[in-house]
Amino acid sequence: DVKVTQSSRYLVKRTGEKVFLECVQDMDHENMFWYRQDPGLGLRLIYFSYDVKMKEKGDIPEGYSVSREKKERFSLILESASTNQTSMYLCASRKDRGYGYTFGSGTRLTVV
Amino acid sequence: QKEVEQNSGPLSVPEGAIASLNCTYSDRGSQSFFWYRQYSGKSPELIMSIYSNGDKEDGRFTAQLNKASQYVSLLIRDSQPSDSATYLCAVNRPSNTGKLIFGQGTTLQVKP
């Protein structure tokens, strides 16, 4: 089975801190995605990547950046954390177009 | 009109009954359709994928696709309390990226 591993299950950070969320997949998947999920708002795409060193903005990229230096790792960066970035962050990967996503277990981030 | 629409529920069924979850989508060019199950506080898990018109069965789950009506459904036979979760419908956006568009999800409650 494909495994998508997110480095932290729970994280508490202070306003203004730079936050790194790490995601690693072990099945040589081409595509990787970062979502946030909030009650009543569903899953919202932040950034995605179709190849190493490639990134594209999703629907809500403001306040975030990403890095994909290696195929298996896709990092989400909150440049200056704010309280409205308190959320569940979900990383996902898939083999290619036409396949479903496999999600990581999620990181619940609280910004205080 | 939302790209992928689901009734938020909750849908309540007695144990042993058939649960029927529905999803409509707006883009006729969509080719790939997925159902995810998400338990409270957990990440989404892929349970069914369907690509052609008709039914696809996997154990107690049956996915049904009707592209002419732009409609995809999930039937859960012999519903169990452990099936209580939110079910997300996802449809690919027919573009060069093929990103998945997620519905808001339907909450299913199976009562013993």
PDB file of all heavy atoms in Angstrom, chain B residues 15-45:
ATOM      1  N   GLU B  15     -29.289   0.007  11.175  1.00  0.00           N
ATOM      2  CA  GLU B  15     -28.325  -1.046  10.919  1.00  0.00           C
ATOM      3  C   GLU B  15     -28.957  -2.129  10.047  1.00  0.00           C
ATOM      4  O   GLU B  15     -30.104  -2.534  10.253  1.00  0.00           O
ATOM      5  CB  GLU B  15     -27.865  -1.650  12.249  1.00  0.00           C
ATOM      6  CG  GLU B  15     -26.776  -2.695  12.113  1.00  0.00           C
ATOM      7  CD  GLU B  15     -26.258  -3.172  13.469  1.00  0.00           C
ATOM      8  OE1 GLU B  15     -26.696  -2.603  14.506  1.00  0.00           O
ATOM      9  OE2 GLU B  15     -25.413  -4.070  13.494  1.00  0.00           O
ATOM     10  N   GLY B  16     -28.201  -2.583   9.036  1.00  0.00           N
ATOM     11  CA  GLY B  16     -28.687  -3.608   8.130  1.00  0.00           C
ATOM     12  C   GLY B  16     -29.372  -3.084   6.886  1.00  0.00           C
ATOM     13  O   GLY B  16     -29.577  -3.837   5.924  1.00  0.00           O
ATOM     14  N   ALA B  17     -29.696  -1.809   6.861  1.00  0.00           N
ATOM     15  CA  ALA B  17     -30.379  -1.208   5.705  1.00  0.00           C
ATOM     16  C   ALA B  17     -29.367  -0.836   4.621  1.00  0.00           C
ATOM     17  O   ALA B  17     -28.153  -0.913   4.811  1.00  0.00           O
ATOM     18  CB  ALA B  17     -31.161   0.029   6.144  1.00  0.00           C
ATOM     19  N   ILE B  18     -29.890  -0.429   3.471  1.00  0.00           N
ATOM     20  CA  ILE B  18     -29.053   0.079   2.386  1.00  0.00           C
ATOM     21  C   ILE B  18     -28.972   1.598   2.502  1.00  0.00           C
ATOM     22  O   ILE B  18     -29.986   2.285   2.580  1.00  0.00           O
ATOM     23  CB  ILE B  18     -29.628  -0.299   1.004  1.00  0.00           C
ATOM     24  CG1 ILE B  18     -29.634  -1.810   0.819  1.00  0.00           C
ATOM     25  CG2 ILE B  18     -28.825   0.378  -0.121  1.00  0.00           C
ATOM     26  CD1 ILE B  18     -30.298  -2.275  -0.468  1.00  0.00           C
ATOM     27  N   ALA B  19     -27.757   2.098   2.517  1.00  0.00           N
ATOM     28  CA  ALA B  19     -27.546   3.558   2.505  1.00  0.00           C
ATOM     29  C   ALA B  19     -27.238   3.989   1.083  1.00  0.00           C
ATOM     30  O   ALA B  19     -26.414   3.354   0.402  1.00  0.00           O
ATOM     31  CB  ALA B  19     -26.405   3.939   3.436  1.00  0.00           C
ATOM     32  N   SER B  20     -27.882   5.035   0.631  1.00  0.00           N
ATOM     33  CA  SER B  20     -27.695   5.531  -0.731  1.00  0.00           C
ATOM     34  C   SER B  20     -27.195   6.970  -0.680  1.00  0.00           C
ATOM     35  O   SER B  20     -27.874   7.860  -0.166  1.00  0.00           O
ATOM     36  CB  SER B  20     -29.021   5.449  -1.503  1.00  0.00           C
ATOM     37  OG  SER B  20     -28.867   5.987  -2.804  1.00  0.00           O
ATOM     38  N   LEU B  21     -26.002   7.178  -1.197  1.00  0.00           N
ATOM     39  CA  LEU B  21     -25.373   8.501  -1.185  1.00  0.00           C
ATOM     40  C   LEU B  21     -25.239   8.989  -2.613  1.00  0.00           C
ATOM     41  O   LEU B  21     -24.815   8.239  -3.492  1.00  0.00           O
ATOM     42  CB  LEU B  21     -23.990   8.402  -0.530  1.00  0.00           C
ATOM     43  CG  LEU B  21     -24.002   7.801   0.875  1.00  0.00           C
ATOM     44  CD1 LEU B  21     -22.631   7.284   1.259  1.00  0.00           C
ATOM     45  CD2 LEU B  21     -24.460   8.840   1.873  1.00  0.00           C
ATOM     46  N   ASN B  22     -25.592  10.237  -2.829  1.00  0.00           N
ATOM     47  CA  ASN B  22     -25.661  10.759  -4.186  1.00  0.00           C
ATOM     48  C   ASN B  22     -24.756  11.958  -4.408  1.00  0.00           C
ATOM     49  O   ASN B  22     -24.468  12.715  -3.483  1.00  0.00           O
ATOM     50  CB  ASN B  22     -27.101  11.163  -4.498  1.00  0.00           C
ATOM     51  CG  ASN B  22     -28.059  10.027  -4.296  1.00  0.00           C
ATOM     52  OD1 ASN B  22     -27.807   8.903  -4.725  1.00  0.00           O
ATOM     53  ND2 ASN B  22     -29.168  10.291  -3.608  1.00  0.00           N
ATOM     54  N   CYS B  23     -24.373  12.129  -5.678  1.00  0.00           N
ATOM     55  CA  CYS B  23     -23.446  13.195  -6.045  1.00  0.00           C
ATOM     56  C   CYS B  23     -23.737  13.599  -7.485  1.00  0.00           C
ATOM     57  O   CYS B  23     -23.909  12.727  -8.348  1.00  0.00           O
ATOM     58  CB  CYS B  23     -22.022  12.661  -5.893  1.00  0.00           C
ATOM     59  SG  CYS B  23     -20.706  13.729  -6.491  1.00  0.00           S
ATOM     60  N   THR B  24     -23.818  14.871  -7.743  1.00  0.00           N
ATOM     61  CA  THR B  24     -23.936  15.357  -9.116  1.00  0.00           C
ATOM     62  C   THR B  24     -22.746  16.245  -9.437  1.00  0.00           C
ATOM     63  O   THR B  24     -22.152  16.854  -8.538  1.00  0.00           O
ATOM     64  CB  THR B  24     -25.238  16.148  -9.341  1.00  0.00           C
ATOM     65  OG1 THR B  24     -25.274  17.250  -8.419  1.00  0.00           O
ATOM     66  CG2 THR B  24     -26.454  15.277  -9.125  1.00  0.00           C
ATOM     67  N   TYR B  25     -22.373  16.301 -10.712  1.00  0.00           N
ATOM     68  CA  TYR B  25     -21.226  17.102 -11.115  1.00  0.00           C
ATOM     69  C   TYR B  25     -21.601  17.908 -12.349  1.00  0.00           C
ATOM     70  O   TYR B  25     -22.511  17.554 -13.095  1.00  0.00           O
ATOM     71  CB  TYR B  25     -19.998  16.218 -11.376  1.00  0.00           C
ATOM     72  CG  TYR B  25     -20.185  15.179 -12.450  1.00  0.00           C
ATOM     73  CD1 TYR B  25     -19.775  15.418 -13.762  1.00  0.00           C
ATOM     74  CD2 TYR B  25     -20.765  13.955 -12.161  1.00  0.00           C
ATOM     75  CE1 TYR B  25     -19.944  14.474 -14.755  1.00  0.00           C
ATOM     76  CE2 TYR B  25     -20.942  12.996 -13.143  1.00  0.00           C
ATOM     77  CZ  TYR B  25     -20.533  13.252 -14.433  1.00  0.00           C
ATOM     78  OH  TYR B  25     -20.701  12.316 -15.429  1.00  0.00           O
ATOM     79  N   SER B  26     -20.884  18.987 -12.573  1.00  0.00           N
ATOM     80  CA  SER B  26     -21.300  19.932 -13.605  1.00  0.00           C
ATOM     81  C   SER B  26     -20.558  19.781 -14.935  1.00  0.00           C
ATOM     82  O   SER B  26     -21.098  20.150 -15.984  1.00  0.00           O
ATOM     83  CB  SER B  26     -21.121  21.365 -13.097  1.00  0.00           C
ATOM     84  OG  SER B  26     -19.762  21.620 -12.803  1.00  0.00           O
ATOM     85  N   ASP B  27     -19.328  19.249 -14.920  1.00  0.00           N
ATOM     86  CA  ASP B  27     -18.537  19.212 -16.145  1.00  0.00           C
ATOM     87  C   ASP B  27     -18.702  17.889 -16.892  1.00  0.00           C
ATOM     88  O   ASP B  27     -18.271  16.844 -16.405  1.00  0.00           O
ATOM     89  CB  ASP B  27     -17.063  19.480 -15.815  1.00  0.00           C
ATOM     90  CG  ASP B  27     -16.275  19.891 -17.038  1.00  0.00           C
ATOM     91  OD1 ASP B  27     -16.508  19.309 -18.119  1.00  0.00           O
ATOM     92  OD2 ASP B  27     -15.415  20.774 -16.916  1.00  0.00           O
ATOM     93  N   ARG B  28     -19.295  17.958 -18.077  1.00  0.00           N
ATOM     94  CA  ARG B  28     -19.572  16.741 -18.836  1.00  0.00           C
ATOM     95  C   ARG B  28     -18.307  16.004 -19.273  1.00  0.00           C
ATOM     96  O   ARG B  28     -18.355  14.828 -19.616  1.00  0.00           O
ATOM     97  CB  ARG B  28     -20.381  17.087 -20.093  1.00  0.00           C
ATOM     98  CG  ARG B  28     -21.822  17.390 -19.828  1.00  0.00           C
ATOM     99  CD  ARG B  28     -22.644  17.386 -21.112  1.00  0.00           C
ATOM    100  NE  ARG B  28     -24.061  17.472 -20.785  1.00  0.00           N
ATOM    101  CZ  ARG B  28     -24.813  16.425 -20.453  1.00  0.00           C
ATOM    102  NH1 ARG B  28     -24.300  15.219 -20.434  1.00  0.00           N
ATOM    103  NH2 ARG B  28     -26.084  16.582 -20.161  1.00  0.00           N
ATOM    104  N   GLY B  29     -17.187  16.691 -19.280  1.00  0.00           N
ATOM    105  CA  GLY B  29     -15.940  16.078 -19.712  1.00  0.00           C
ATOM    106  C   GLY B  29     -15.238  15.248 -18.649  1.00  0.00           C
ATOM    107  O   GLY B  29     -14.225  14.611 -18.924  1.00  0.00           O
ATOM    108  N   SER B  30     -15.763  15.238 -17.427  1.00  0.00           N
ATOM    109  CA  SER B  30     -15.133  14.479 -16.356  1.00  0.00           C
ATOM    110  C   SER B  30     -15.109  12.990 -16.691  1.00  0.00           C
ATOM    111  O   SER B  30     -16.058  12.449 -17.241  1.00  0.00           O
ATOM    112  CB  SER B  30     -15.878  14.705 -15.037  1.00  0.00           C
ATOM    113  OG  SER B  30     -15.792  16.059 -14.651  1.00  0.00           O
ATOM    114  N   GLN B  31     -13.982  12.340 -16.346  1.00  0.00           N
ATOM    115  CA  GLN B  31     -13.784  10.938 -16.723  1.00  0.00           C
ATOM    116  C   GLN B  31     -13.565  10.008 -15.533  1.00  0.00           C
ATOM    117  O   GLN B  31     -13.695   8.796 -15.662  1.00  0.00           O
ATOM    118  CB  GLN B  31     -12.557  10.827 -17.642  1.00  0.00           C
ATOM    119  CG  GLN B  31     -12.696  11.576 -18.950  1.00  0.00           C
ATOM    120  CD  GLN B  31     -13.724  10.943 -19.871  1.00  0.00           C
ATOM    121  OE1 GLN B  31     -13.909   9.726 -19.856  1.00  0.00           O
ATOM    122  NE2 GLN B  31     -14.410  11.757 -20.643  1.00  0.00           N
ATOM    123  N   SER B  32     -13.168  10.568 -14.394  1.00  0.00           N
ATOM    124  CA  SER B  32     -12.797   9.740 -13.247  1.00  0.00           C
ATOM    125  C   SER B  32     -13.599  10.183 -12.034  1.00  0.00           C
ATOM    126  O   SER B  32     -13.701  11.385 -11.772  1.00  0.00           O
ATOM    127  CB  SER B  32     -11.304   9.881 -12.936  1.00  0.00           C
ATOM    128  OG  SER B  32     -10.521   9.655 -14.089  1.00  0.00           O
ATOM    129  N   PHE B  33     -14.092   9.181 -11.278  1.00  0.00           N
ATOM    130  CA  PHE B  33     -15.005   9.471 -10.176  1.00  0.00           C
ATOM    131  C   PHE B  33     -14.606   8.611  -8.978  1.00  0.00           C
ATOM    132  O   PHE B  33     -14.304   7.414  -9.140  1.00  0.00           O
ATOM    133  CB  PHE B  33     -16.445   9.179 -10.598  1.00  0.00           C
ATOM    134  CG  PHE B  33     -16.819   9.875 -11.880  1.00  0.00           C
ATOM    135  CD1 PHE B  33     -16.549   9.294 -13.107  1.00  0.00           C
ATOM    136  CD2 PHE B  33     -17.414  11.123 -11.842  1.00  0.00           C
ATOM    137  CE1 PHE B  33     -16.860   9.943 -14.294  1.00  0.00           C
ATOM    138  CE2 PHE B  33     -17.741  11.786 -13.019  1.00  0.00           C
ATOM    139  CZ  PHE B  33     -17.460  11.199 -14.243  1.00  0.00           C
ATOM    140  N   PHE B  34     -14.620   9.218  -7.827  1.00  0.00           N
ATOM    141  CA  PHE B  34     -14.110   8.540  -6.640  1.00  0.00           C
ATOM    142  C   PHE B  34     -15.012   8.804  -5.445  1.00  0.00           C
ATOM    143  O   PHE B  34     -15.619   9.871  -5.331  1.00  0.00           O
ATOM    144  CB  PHE B  34     -12.687   9.034  -6.312  1.00  0.00           C
ATOM    145  CG  PHE B  34     -11.734   8.923  -7.468  1.00  0.00           C
ATOM    146  CD1 PHE B  34     -11.566   9.985  -8.349  1.00  0.00           C
ATOM    147  CD2 PHE B  34     -11.020   7.758  -7.688  1.00  0.00           C
ATOM    148  CE1 PHE B  34     -10.697   9.886  -9.428  1.00  0.00           C
ATOM    149  CE2 PHE B  34     -10.150   7.648  -8.761  1.00  0.00           C
ATOM    150  CZ  PHE B  34      -9.995   8.713  -9.629  1.00  0.00           C
ATOM    151  N   TRP B  35     -15.054   7.815  -4.548  1.00  0.00           N
ATOM    152  CA  TRP B  35     -15.709   7.988  -3.264  1.00  0.00           C
ATOM    153  C   TRP B  35     -14.673   7.796  -2.163  1.00  0.00           C
ATOM    154  O   TRP B  35     -13.902   6.830  -2.179  1.00  0.00           O
ATOM    155  CB  TRP B  35     -16.843   6.986  -3.083  1.00  0.00           C
ATOM    156  CG  TRP B  35     -18.069   7.351  -3.836  1.00  0.00           C
ATOM    157  CD1 TRP B  35     -18.490   6.862  -5.039  1.00  0.00           C
ATOM    158  CD2 TRP B  35     -19.071   8.304  -3.431  1.00  0.00           C
ATOM    159  NE1 TRP B  35     -19.676   7.444  -5.415  1.00  0.00           N
ATOM    160  CE2 TRP B  35     -20.048   8.342  -4.444  1.00  0.00           C
ATOM    161  CE3 TRP B  35     -19.231   9.132  -2.313  1.00  0.00           C
ATOM    162  CZ2 TRP B  35     -21.176   9.167  -4.368  1.00  0.00           C
ATOM    163  CZ3 TRP B  35     -20.340   9.952  -2.240  1.00  0.00           C
ATOM    164  CH2 TRP B  35     -21.300   9.963  -3.258  1.00  0.00           C
ATOM    165  N   TYR B  36     -14.690   8.736  -1.220  1.00  0.00           N
ATOM    166  CA  TYR B  36     -13.818   8.675  -0.061  1.00  0.00           C
ATOM    167  C   TYR B  36     -14.678   8.599   1.198  1.00  0.00           C
ATOM    168  O   TYR B  36     -15.758   9.189   1.267  1.00  0.00           O
ATOM    169  CB  TYR B  36     -12.944   9.935   0.033  1.00  0.00           C
ATOM    170  CG  TYR B  36     -11.828   9.990  -0.973  1.00  0.00           C
ATOM    171  CD1 TYR B  36     -12.056  10.410  -2.277  1.00  0.00           C
ATOM    172  CD2 TYR B  36     -10.536   9.611  -0.624  1.00  0.00           C
ATOM    173  CE1 TYR B  36     -11.020  10.453  -3.207  1.00  0.00           C
ATOM    174  CE2 TYR B  36      -9.500   9.656  -1.544  1.00  0.00           C
ATOM    175  CZ  TYR B  36      -9.754  10.078  -2.830  1.00  0.00           C
ATOM    176  OH  TYR B  36      -8.725  10.111  -3.741  1.00  0.00           O
ATOM    177  N   ARG B  37     -14.177   7.890   2.186  1.00  0.00           N
ATOM    178  CA  ARG B  37     -14.803   7.829   3.510  1.00  0.00           C
ATOM    179  C   ARG B  37     -13.891   8.575   4.482  1.00  0.00           C
ATOM    180  O   ARG B  37     -12.674   8.360   4.481  1.00  0.00           O
ATOM    181  CB  ARG B  37     -14.969   6.377   3.958  1.00  0.00           C
ATOM    182  CG  ARG B  37     -15.546   6.189   5.346  1.00  0.00           C
ATOM    183  CD  ARG B  37     -15.714   4.704   5.654  1.00  0.00           C
ATOM    184  NE  ARG B  37     -14.447   4.000   5.621  1.00  0.00           N
ATOM    185  CZ  ARG B  37     -14.322   2.679   5.459  1.00  0.00           C
ATOM    186  NH1 ARG B  37     -15.396   1.937   5.305  1.00  0.00           N
ATOM    187  NH2 ARG B  37     -13.138   2.127   5.462  1.00  0.00           N
ATOM    188  N   GLN B  38     -14.486   9.417   5.315  1.00  0.00           N
ATOM    189  CA  GLN B  38     -13.704  10.160   6.294  1.00  0.00           C
ATOM    190  C   GLN B  38     -14.362  10.067   7.651  1.00  0.00           C
ATOM    191  O   GLN B  38     -15.459  10.578   7.868  1.00  0.00           O
ATOM    192  CB  GLN B  38     -13.556  11.632   5.874  1.00  0.00           C
ATOM    193  CG  GLN B  38     -12.622  12.416   6.786  1.00  0.00           C
ATOM    194  CD  GLN B  38     -12.354  13.835   6.299  1.00  0.00           C
ATOM    195  OE1 GLN B  38     -13.146  14.414   5.548  1.00  0.00           O
ATOM    196  NE2 GLN B  38     -11.233  14.408   6.715  1.00  0.00           N
ATOM    197  N   TYR B  39     -13.684   9.390   8.574  1.00  0.00           N
ATOM    198  CA  TYR B  39     -14.138   9.340   9.956  1.00  0.00           C
ATOM    199  C   TYR B  39     -13.773  10.662  10.630  1.00  0.00           C
ATOM    200  O   TYR B  39     -12.805  11.327  10.249  1.00  0.00           O
ATOM    201  CB  TYR B  39     -13.513   8.171  10.698  1.00  0.00           C
ATOM    202  CG  TYR B  39     -13.969   6.821  10.206  1.00  0.00           C
ATOM    203  CD1 TYR B  39     -13.078   5.935   9.587  1.00  0.00           C
ATOM    204  CD2 TYR B  39     -15.282   6.405  10.364  1.00  0.00           C
ATOM    205  CE1 TYR B  39     -13.495   4.687   9.138  1.00  0.00           C
ATOM    206  CE2 TYR B  39     -15.709   5.163   9.917  1.00  0.00           C
ATOM    207  CZ  TYR B  39     -14.807   4.314   9.302  1.00  0.00           C
ATOM    208  OH  TYR B  39     -15.231   3.083   8.862  1.00  0.00           O
ATOM    209  N   SER B  40     -14.541  11.004  11.657  1.00  0.00           N
ATOM    210  CA  SER B  40     -14.328  12.264  12.369  1.00  0.00           C
ATOM    211  C   SER B  40     -12.894  12.364  12.893  1.00  0.00           C
ATOM    212  O   SER B  40     -12.402  11.451  13.556  1.00  0.00           O
ATOM    213  CB  SER B  40     -15.318  12.361  13.533  1.00  0.00           C
ATOM    214  OG  SER B  40     -15.141  13.566  14.222  1.00  0.00           O
ATOM    215  N   GLY B  41     -12.233  13.435  12.540  1.00  0.00           N
ATOM    216  CA  GLY B  41     -10.865  13.665  13.011  1.00  0.00           C
ATOM    217  C   GLY B  41      -9.789  12.924  12.243  1.00  0.00           C
ATOM    218  O   GLY B  41      -8.605  13.043  12.557  1.00  0.00           O
ATOM    219  N   LYS B  42     -10.188  12.178  11.226  1.00  0.00           N
ATOM    220  CA  LYS B  42      -9.235  11.411  10.418  1.00  0.00           C
ATOM    221  C   LYS B  42      -9.173  11.966   9.015  1.00  0.00           C
ATOM    222  O   LYS B  42      -9.939  12.839   8.633  1.00  0.00           O
ATOM    223  CB  LYS B  42      -9.652   9.930  10.377  1.00  0.00           C
ATOM    224  CG  LYS B  42      -9.780   9.279  11.740  1.00  0.00           C
ATOM    225  CD  LYS B  42      -8.453   9.186  12.453  1.00  0.00           C
ATOM    226  CE  LYS B  42      -8.570   8.408  13.746  1.00  0.00           C
ATOM    227  NZ  LYS B  42      -7.282   8.364  14.480  1.00  0.00           N
ATOM    228  N   SER B  43      -8.251  11.416   8.226  1.00  0.00           N
ATOM    229  CA  SER B  43      -8.112  11.875   6.844  1.00  0.00           C
ATOM    230  C   SER B  43      -8.988  11.027   5.922  1.00  0.00           C
ATOM    231  O   SER B  43      -9.384   9.911   6.274  1.00  0.00           O
ATOM    232  CB  SER B  43      -6.645  11.803   6.428  1.00  0.00           C
ATOM    233  OG  SER B  43      -6.174  10.475   6.484  1.00  0.00           O
ATOM    234  N   PRO B  44      -9.299  11.524   4.725  1.00  0.00           N
ATOM    235  CA  PRO B  44     -10.135  10.756   3.781  1.00  0.00           C
ATOM    236  C   PRO B  44      -9.415   9.497   3.294  1.00  0.00           C
ATOM    237  O   PRO B  44      -8.202   9.500   3.065  1.00  0.00           O
ATOM    238  CB  PRO B  44     -10.352  11.742   2.629  1.00  0.00           C
ATOM    239  CG  PRO B  44     -10.099  13.096   3.200  1.00  0.00           C
ATOM    240  CD  PRO B  44      -9.031  12.888   4.231  1.00  0.00           C
ATOM    241  N   GLU B  45     -10.210   8.452   3.125  1.00  0.00           N
ATOM    242  CA  GLU B  45      -9.701   7.164   2.644  1.00  0.00           C
ATOM    243  C   GLU B  45     -10.450   6.794   1.369  1.00  0.00           C
ATOM    244  O   GLU B  45     -11.682   6.780   1.352  1.00  0.00           O
ATOM    245  CB  GLU B  45      -9.944   6.110   3.729  1.00  0.00           C
ATOM    246  CG  GLU B  45      -9.590   4.707   3.319  1.00  0.00           C
ATOM    247  CD  GLU B  45     -10.128   3.665   4.295  1.00  0.00           C
ATOM    248  OE1 GLU B  45     -10.923   4.038   5.188  1.00  0.00           O
ATOM    249  OE2 GLU B  45      -9.788   2.493   4.147  1.00  0.00           O
TER     250      GLU B  45
END
